[in-house]
Each structure stands twice: as structure tokens, then as C-alpha cells.
Amino acid sequence: MSPTLDEVRALESQHVLGTYKRQPVLFVRGDGVRLFDADGKAYLDLLSGIGVASRGHNDPELTRAIIDQASTLMHVSNLYYHPLQGEAAQRLSALSGLSRTFFCNSGTEAVEACLKFARRYWFTKQDTGRTRYVSVKGGFSGRTMGALSVTSDPHYREPFEPLIPGVTFVSASDPAELLAAVTDKTAAIIAEPIQGEGGIRPMSQAFADAINEACRRTGTLYIADEVQTGLGRTGFPFYFQALGLQPDLISVGKALGGGVPIGAALVSERVAETIFPGDHGTTYGGNLLACRAAIVVLDQLTSGNLLDQVRTTGEHFEQRLQALAAKHPVVTELRGVGLMRGLEVKVDAALVVDEARNRGLLVNRTNEKVVRMLPPLTISIADLDAAMDILDAALGAVDQGAQA
Ligand SMILES: Cc1ncc(COP(=O)(O)O)c(C=O)c1O
């Protein structure tokens, strides 16, 4: 017998550090786009564990590969060779155009590695004063001291200051501000092609052009933080490609292991040439289990027509959301690309999240007033329609509450 929600809560409240505000639901099983709670109730999961389970839950191919790998060899450390790191890296290189990969264990670590590699590049080039970063207001790159230093929101930062100095934040709506901020002291610009935690805000073409121009003018490196946007979420392998950006470094995480923790910093050849043994490392990074999962995920992304499917499903998703935005006065804006969508509402988005969950649909609140949706890339039109019908009812309930 699995424990009840109340039992799990009681145990966690005594022993798990209280860094998360969990919703009152206990999941015990998953199958494709559905999660099941301890009472056997099914939920349509339009969040995929925050963009991680991009083939849905319990994908048979991924599960088989993980079981096979776990019963063969999981981990040997980076002191030795194993056959899978090179294979996973080769696939990432083919998708991104950057030749080298450093493997780590999360998106934050991927960002951290990119920030370090950018500094190492200039250090090797003996431009040792070139240590500054330019980042974007409203962006999110993680919570370690380095990643937090390039994340602007004071709510995340303030309790942990002082952070790394020399970071300038510019407005994503002001390309001229970016051009003025990037100088010959800037090691790197870091920006998400679509801000995820910041409320699903796609970068404008003008801002992307300004990044390219600033990099061309000053030689500054661009770090594309693709932790949330990468690996097919938008219908492109990476969203920098849609904007014509030319990163020297890319941070990857979330979907890469389909649920097995793995992150990656992708590095251009000219940066790779400036990095040497001992510059960076991590015990788990790129172990056999994580790499085997990543190889399955990457092969699933490139074989068949998954990216086309994401674009087609994404268009249908957009049409359904547009109809909801037109119908419900509480919705103020719809944003996003492919299967990465946000609905901005007039009220706290938690109200929509709760109404949806009570009706068997999982969506997420981000940036207070945004309902974020990151469904599995494989979601069928029928399941998406069923989810939109539930969201319609949830928004209707919130509309009524807002008027009362
Ligand atoms: C764009 C971006 N970068 C970095 C991170 C941090 O990744 P992780 O939570 O895996 O450490 C996130 C997480 O949401 C993210 O969205």
C-alpha cells in the first residue's frame, strides 16, 4: 500500500528542507501525457515535469534503455573512458552545430559551466580584465551563485547577495541598451531565446540582431540558455536557430535525459581550444546511465518527424488558446512558440492552476500572472483538445470569481 498524501506530507514536513511550495497532490504513476495520483485519479499533464518528460511519462523505449544500462554499468567517473559520452556528444553537435560538449547534471550546472568557459576563453587569450557579463531583465538561469548572478529578479537574488560582480542587466525590449552595455570588457552575453520562468517571452528579432551585432563588434561570446527552449520544445532543435543567433556556448538541461538528471554545456571549437584538463569537472557528469538516456532522447528527436509534429500540434495549440483568450475576460495575453505557451491573466495564475488541477489538468504558474504550458512533444491533438476543454472550464470559474 502506498502512503497517503497526508502521511507523505507529515514525513516531508519533518525531514525535507522546506524550499518548495508543493501542490496538494501525490503522484504515483505516469503513462504518456497522463499522471495518476494515489487514489487512481488521472490528470492530463501539460507541464511534463517542467519540460523534462518530452515523450511523456514512462516512454517504453527510454524505460527499456535505462533498465538495460542500469543492469550493465551506470557509472565509472570521468577518470576513465566509457562508450556513451562521445556518442551523446556527437548527437548534440549534429543538432547544435557546436563541436564539443561538457556534461553535467542540471540546467544550472550547464549555465555555470558556460559562464566559466567564457571567462576561461578570455583568460587563455590573456585578456584577463575581460570578466563581465551582460544578461537580460526577467531572465532566469538557475540558482547556484554563478547562475543566480546572471538572473535579475531580486526575489531570487537578495537573500544571497553579494553575488558575482560585473553583471549588467538590460531590457529585452531595448536593443540599443544592449548595444551600449556590451564593451571590450564583456566576457559574454547570456540570454534565453524565449524567457521561460520569466513568463514565456520570446526574444524579438531586433534584440537577437543586436546580440549578433554586439558580438561581431566586440568579440564578446554569446551564451544561449536553451535549458527550457532546447531539444524540440519550439519545433526547432534549438530556438537560437529560428532567430539566426550564433552562440559560442549553449546551456542544455531539462529534456535531455527525459527524467534522468543530465545537463550539457555545448561549446564552439574556438572556445574549446582555450579549455584544458582540470579547468572544470564533476563526478557524475555524463555517466553511462545519463548518457544512455540522452542518446535515446536525441535519437527520438531526430528520427521520424517529431519536430514537424511539434509545429503542427503547436499551431493547433495556439488556435485553441487564442479562442480561450478571446472568450475569457481574465486572459490578457497569449505568448509562446510550438509547445511552449503562456497565458497571461489579470489575477494570480495560481487560481487557474488550482481550478485546472481540481478538474484533472496540470498547468503551472510562472511570473505570478502567467499560466505556463509545456506538454509532452508527443501529445495527440485529441489529448490537447481534452486539455483545452478543461482549461476552458477552469478559466470560466476564474472569470466568475474575478467578476464577483
Ligand atoms: C532557461 C533556464 N536556465 C536554467 C535553468 C536551471 O535549470 P535546473 O533547474 O535544471 O538547474 C532553468 C530552469 O528552469 C531554465 O529555465
Side-chain angles (χ1 to χ4, degrees):
M1 265 278 287
S2 76
T4 65
L5 173 60
D6 286 345
E7 287 165 349
V8 169
R9 255 185 172 165
L11 187 64
E12 283 206 5
S13 71
Q14 284 176 44
H15 299 293
V16 177
L17 192 63
T19 57
Y20 300 107
K21 194 172 157 202
R22 301 198 203 284
Q23 296 172 37
V25 60
L26 175 65
F27 288 120
V28 293
R29 190 167 70 81
D31 183 12
V33 72
R34 286 178 179 74
L35 281 174
F36 297 86
D37 72 11
D39 300 323
K41 178 177 168 187
Y43 296 76
L44 279 167
D45 180 8
L46 251 62
L47 193 62
S48 325
I50 323 188
V52 168
S54 59
R55 303 278 301 195
H57 301 283
N58 215 355
D59 175 65
E61 201 183 340
L62 181 59
T63 306
R64 267 197 308 274
I66 291 169
I67 291 171
D68 178 59
Q69 195 58 51
S71 57
T72 308
L73 187 60
M74 283 202 275
H75 178 86
V76 294
S77 90
N78 282 303
L79 296 176
Y80 309 107
Y81 287 103
H82 70 68
L84 302 180
Q85 237 185 67
E87 285 197 28
Q90 186 182 36
R91 286 162 172 78
L92 283 166
S93 178
L95 273 182
S96 68
L98 300 196
S99 58
R100 307 283 186 128
T101 297
F102 171 84
F103 286 105
C104 50
N105 313 291
S106 68
T108 303
E109 282 180 57
V111 168
E112 201 72 29
C114 289
L115 295 172
K116 283 185 72 178
F117 295 151
R119 281 208 176 163
R120 184 50 159 126
Y121 173 83
W122 293 110
F123 184 86
T124 304
K125 292 200 163 297
Q126 299 187 332
D127 199 343
T128 49
R130 195 154 183 166
T131 57
R132 299 181 61 95
Y133 300 102
V134 172
S135 182
V136 183
K137 289 177 187 159
F140 179 87
S141 284
R143 297 171 187 262
T144 53
M145 294 304 253
L148 191 56
S149 299
V150 294
T151 294
S152 70
D153 189 337
H155 168 75
Y156 296 123
R157 298 168 60 90
E158 257 173 26
F160 307 103
E161 286 175 341
L163 298 170
I164 292 173
V167 182
T168 306
F169 292 102
V170 299
S171 164
S173 58
D174 192 349
E177 192 186 354
L178 174 91
L179 288 170
V182 178
T183 69
D184 63 2
K185 296 287 172 238
T186 310
I189 302 166
I190 179 164
E192 297 159 83
I194 302 174
Q195 289 185 349
E197 303 303 303
I200 313 291
R201 295 172 200 278
M203 185 186 288
S204 70
Q205 190 59 57
F207 197 82
D209 294 346
I211 291 179
N212 281 341
E213 189 185 330
C215 291
R216 219 172 13 247
R217 180 169 48 84
T218 62
T220 297
L221 305 173
Y222 168 51
I223 304 169
D225 185 352
E226 293 261 8
V227 168
Q228 200 159 142
T229 45
L231 304 179
R233 170 73 32 212
T234 64
F236 296 86
F238 294 99
Y239 199 61
F240 78 81
Q241 293 158 335
L243 292 166
L245 286 159
Q246 288 150 7
D248 269 289
L249 296 141
I250 305 171
S251 50
V252 185
K254 292 198 188 286
L256 183 55
V260 177
I262 178 170
L266 314 188
V267 180
S268 69
E269 196 56 32
R270 70 171 174 148
V271 175
E273 281 164 5
T274 65
I275 293 167
F276 302 98
D279 276 347
H280 198 43
T282 164
T283 298
Y284 285 134
N287 79 10
L288 290 104
L289 186 71
C291 283
R292 182 75 184 269
I295 289 167
V296 172
V297 167
L298 295 168
D299 284 348
Q300 287 175 334
L301 188 63
T302 49
S303 63
N305 62 351
L306 186 57
L307 290 171
D308 290 339
Q309 191 186 325
V310 170
R311 289 181 202 214
T312 310
T313 319
E315 277 167 28
H316 183 74
F317 197 10
E318 183 168 16
Q319 284 165 13
R320 290 289 321 244
L321 290 170
Q322 268 167 354
L324 293 183
K327 178 174 172 186
H328 295 287
V330 77
V331 179
T332 55
E333 203 181 341
L334 162 65
R335 293 188 293 268
V337 179
L339 292 178
M340 180 172 186
R341 301 280 175 177
L343 275 184
E344 182 135 2
V345 289
K346 285 180 192 156
V347 294
D348 187 334
L351 295 172
V352 181
V353 171
D354 291 345
E355 291 288 351
R357 192 186 58 255
N358 291 338
R359 291 169 169 79
L361 172 69
L362 301 175
V363 294
N364 160 250
R365 165 194 193 257
T366 189
N367 203 22
E368 290 169 30
K369 293 196 169 163
V370 180
V371 180
R372 172 171 53 172
M373 288 158 282
L374 306 167
L377 306 186
T378 47
I379 190 168
S380 68
I381 298 283
D383 281 338
L384 192 58
D385 278 339
M388 291 301 96
D389 291 345
I390 300 175
L391 187 60
D392 189 6
L395 287 168
V398 175
D399 273 337
Q400 279 187 351
Q403 279 161 13

